[in-house]
Amino acid sequence: MSSKLDILGAEIDSAAESNNVSALTTLIEKCDSMIESEDTHLRPIVFFYKANIYSSLAALKSHEPEYTWSWQQSEKVIEILHLRRAVSDSKFSSLDSILQCKIYTNLGNSLNQFGRFIEAIKAWDCALNLIPNFAMALGNKGVGLADYARALYDYGNASVVVAHALDELKGAISKDALWDSGLHPEAEECFRVNYFSAEKHLERIEYRFEFDLNQWPLGDAKTEVEYRTWCLDNGLFLSPLNDVTKLSVSAQDILHLPSHTYSIDEEARFPNYFNIIKQEYVTARYMLFESLDYYSQHISDKGVLLMDGFDGAQFGYRIEQLKLAFRLAYSIFDKIALFLNDYYSIGLETRTVSFRKIWGQRKNKKIEINSCFAGSKNWPLRGLYYLSKDLFDDDFDDVALPEAKDLAGLRNRIEHRYLSLKDYEAPTKSTDIYSYISIDDFQLKTLRIMSMAREALVYLSLAMHREEETRDIDNEKLSFPIQSSPIERFYE
């Protein structure tokens, strides 16, 4: 590491320890200058340091009574943005593995604090893929999984998640655990307390550790097995278990709405909403899977005359299927916003509802949170709100995902302009009307949107569960039980 970075790190530590807001603010400017001027291989470290500055600024505010559950934590949003910039930097993989693990772990911790526990698990797993016994990743993942389990309404699923939390916590407090800068006594004690709490819970319910979670077949036909295996590997099943295991127990789309209540004269409509969103997600997911085989000719491609533009652009049913998968997955977010608008009686006109704008009114490119959300201690709902910051909107500046604008731009070009997918580099330039992207890159971006849509559906279901637990239920309400009969599909 360069002497400049050593000095910068020491200055950040000193300013944080002395609670010197002025010094921390000045150091942000210093980081910005170094990002522009430093060697590219040091850039991810500067991003990490800048994230640490914003983490320190957030920590100074955490002593304020209302800050912990505040929905306006711009410092934490910017911290996450810069941790992600560090991870996505082309030179990140050249960093020392311990430093990479620290960045991934910090990212997971911050996401989890915001209720983005599914995305947090992925960040912790990235650290553990590098160093399987990295204590802080193991321990924080274990605590995060225990919190996830508490948010679930299906106690069977919750017990499996707790069992996985126990494994992670056991690793964190073992003598083989690797602490990046020596043992952290407070962290180790936290992990130990959570370990014994999880162990006690599993003993009380007589959890069967020997139960085979991989006893179910993935299908009869080869294509079905390949599809379901692909879904498992990419964590795309609508089951909380697919966040902790790739065994066949999680190869089902079992997620739905929890028990909830209606007034006597109120229509039981929310399961219908969720049915539509869920089916659209599952359809988009399969379309993405089928489109991966874009070299195979579909029967609808036969006899279609197209002119060669000598630009590397590919055409065909599978290519359009891939584009449609992206569009359909992206459209799920606004449908979730419509769900929230109705469930929370926000009162927005249907034509004005969007996922980025459902949370409040725009004031100087910032959001003034709606009263039904402000102050809410609904952890999954908070996750849904902060997931919305991964989507770009011209009206708002506060995004936490580096490629958010690119994803939004792709959606716009698919729907309103021209977008061609290329399978090889050609000397072509995109214009305001016509643009290009490689097939591989577009597939990755579609998978990213698909994962975010799945994450949003999980948060929506669990947010409703938490809301129903906290609402005052009077005798004028009727309950819609989770045990209601599933729909019989027409082909059954």
Side-chain angles (χ1 to χ4, degrees):
M1 193 179 296
S2 73
S3 58
K4 285 185 180 180
L5 286 179
D6 290 336
I7 294 171
L8 176 62
E11 289 176 337
I12 293 172
D13 289 341
S14 176
E17 289 172 5
S18 60
N19 299 333
N20 191 332
V21 175
S22 177
L24 288 169
T25 303
T26 301
L27 288 168
I28 292 173
E29 298 174 0
K30 188 172 183 178
C31 284
D32 289 337
S33 176
M34 292 181 71
I35 289 170
E36 295 297 325
S37 61
E38 279 294 312
D39 293 337
T40 56
H41 72 280
L42 298 177
R43 191 170 52 214
I45 302 176
V46 183
F47 282 136
F48 174 53
Y49 282 175
K50 189 174 179 181
N52 288 343
I53 295 173
Y54 280 101
S55 178
S56 298
L57 290 170
L60 293 176
K61 289 188 175 182
S62 66
H63 301 295
E64 300 172 10
E66 301 300 322
Y67 186 78
T68 301
W69 281 100
S70 169
W71 285 51
Q72 300 282 39
Q73 296 187 25
S74 59
E75 297 84 5
K76 295 295 291 182
V77 172
I78 299 174
E79 176 195 355
I80 290 172
L81 176 61
H82 284 87
L83 288 171
R84 282 172 158 174
R85 282 177 173 164
V87 168
S88 61
D89 193 278
S90 61
K91 301 298 181 181
F92 178 75
S93 60
S94 65
L95 299 181
D96 175 79
S97 58
I98 288 181
L99 181 56
Q100 290 185 55
C101 286
K102 289 175 69 174
I103 295 172
Y104 276 128
T105 301
N106 286 5
L107 177 58
N109 296 346
S110 295
L111 289 166
N112 192 58
Q113 180 182 335
F114 274 170
R116 296 286 307 278
F117 41 88
I118 294 175
E119 191 73 3
I121 292 168
K122 296 176 182 178
W124 290 320
D125 283 345
C126 286
L128 295 172
N129 287 337
L130 290 169
I131 304 177
N133 62 335
F134 194 72
M136 292 300 283
L138 284 167
N140 281 288
K141 182 183 177 184
V143 173
L145 288 179
D147 289 337
Y148 189 176
R150 294 186 188 98
L152 296 174
Y153 54 83
D154 185 309
Y155 299 132
N157 283 350
S159 64
V160 176
V161 176
V162 172
H164 280 80
L166 187 73
D167 286 342
E168 307 294 348
L169 291 163
K170 183 178 181 180
I173 62 177
S174 74
K175 60 181 179 59
D176 296 324
L178 174 65
W179 296 84
D180 54 283
S181 55
L183 179 69
H184 298 253
E186 291 183 3
E188 198 268 351
E189 178 61 20
C190 171
F191 301 155
R192 191 175 297 278
V193 169
N194 276 271
Y195 172 80
F196 287 120
S197 175
E199 184 180 51
K200 185 176 180 181
H201 170 76
L202 293 174
E203 288 176 354
R204 185 171 63 252
I205 66 171
E206 299 180 348
Y207 182 79
R208 293 170 55 197
F209 287 93
E210 73 281 3
F211 187 78
D212 183 9
L213 299 179
N214 204 34
Q215 61 180 284
W216 293 273
L218 293 179
D220 300 320
K222 179 183 176 183
T223 302
E224 182 183 2
V225 173
E226 290 175 347
Y227 166 62
R228 301 181 79 78
T229 300
W230 174 80
C231 291
L232 282 173
D233 290 342
N234 287 285
L236 294 177
F237 276 111
L238 288 172
S239 166
L241 298 186
N242 203 191
D243 292 315
V244 296
T245 181
K246 295 177 181 178
L247 299 180
S248 62
V249 67
S250 59
Q252 303 176 73
D253 295 302
I254 59 171
L255 180 78
H256 215 283
L257 297 182
S259 299
H260 52 284
T261 58
Y262 298 92
S263 299
I264 290 177
D265 59 348
E266 191 177 4
E267 180 186 358
R269 60 201 177 279
F270 297 113
N272 294 335
Y273 295 170
F274 201 83
N275 281 343
I276 292 172
I277 301 173
K278 181 175 179 178
Q279 186 60 61
E280 289 182 356
Y281 166 80
V282 171
T283 300
R285 185 181 66 192
Y286 189 71
M287 290 171 70
L288 172 57
F289 170 75
E290 277 201 322
S291 71
L292 299 179
D293 185 25
Y294 61 85
Y295 280 112
S296 64
Q297 186 184 50
H298 190 268
I299 57 171
S300 66
D301 297 326
K302 294 181 179 180
V304 178
L305 175 64
L306 297 172
M307 306 303 292
D308 190 348
F310 302 102
D311 54 1
Q314 294 296 307
F315 298 92
Y317 176 84
R318 299 298 183 203
I319 295 295
E320 297 309 311
Q321 197 174 31
L322 177 57
K323 292 181 187 178
L324 287 171
F326 185 98
R327 288 179 62 183
L328 191 55
Y330 210 116
S331 72
I332 284 171
F333 300 111
D334 286 345
K335 290 184 175 70
I336 288 175
L338 286 168
F339 187 110
L340 294 173
N341 189 52
D342 191 348
Y343 181 67
Y344 283 95
S345 302
I346 296 172
L348 296 180
E349 292 184 28
T350 301
R351 63 181 179 80
T352 67
V353 174
S354 74
F355 191 53
R356 281 287 271 148
K357 298 176 183 177
I358 189 65
W359 308 102
Q361 299 299 313
R362 175 194 177 194
K363 296 290 179 67
N364 297 321
K365 290 201 172 185
K366 299 296 179 183
I367 299 179
E368 185 177 294
I369 299 296
N370 284 326
S371 58
C372 60
F373 301 131
S376 171
K377 296 183 179 181
N378 187 323
W379 190 45
L381 182 66
R382 180 182 170 99
L384 202 54
Y385 166 66
Y386 279 103
L387 190 151
S388 75
K389 294 184 180 295
D390 280 0
L391 300 174
F392 178 80
D393 191 296
D394 287 326
D395 288 341
F396 302 106
D397 289 331
D398 55 341
V399 294
L401 189 68
E403 67 267 33
K405 193 169 184 177
D406 291 340
L407 295 173
L410 284 173
R411 182 197 190 191
N412 180 269
R413 288 183 177 276
I414 292 171
E415 294 186 0
H416 305 296
R417 302 184 189 183
Y418 300 106
L419 178 69
S420 281
L421 308 189
K422 304 196 301 182
D423 67 346
Y424 67 87
E425 289 299 323
T428 54
K429 291 184 179 180
S430 295
T431 68
D432 186 50
I433 298 175
Y434 198 114
S435 57
Y436 297 88
I437 185 173
S438 74
I439 296 175
D440 290 344
D441 190 19
F442 190 75
Q443 285 177 342
L444 289 174
K445 285 178 166 53
T446 306
L447 182 60
R448 175 65 163 155
I449 287 293
M450 201 71 63
S451 296
M452 290 168 61
R454 178 210 178 251
E455 186 183 357
L457 287 170
V458 174
Y459 296 155
L460 176 63
S461 174
L462 300 187
M464 188 179 192
H465 174 54
R466 177 59 182 155
E467 187 69 24
E468 292 293 318
E469 286 183 324
T470 57
R471 286 184 174 183
D472 292 327
I473 306 302
D474 57 40
N475 293 330
E476 299 300 313
K477 297 281 186 176
L478 295 176
S479 176
F480 189 95
I482 189 175
Q483 293 83 4
S484 60
S485 300
I487 291 175
E488 290 187 14
R489 295 181 181 268
F490 65 89
Y491 47 76
E492 294 177 347

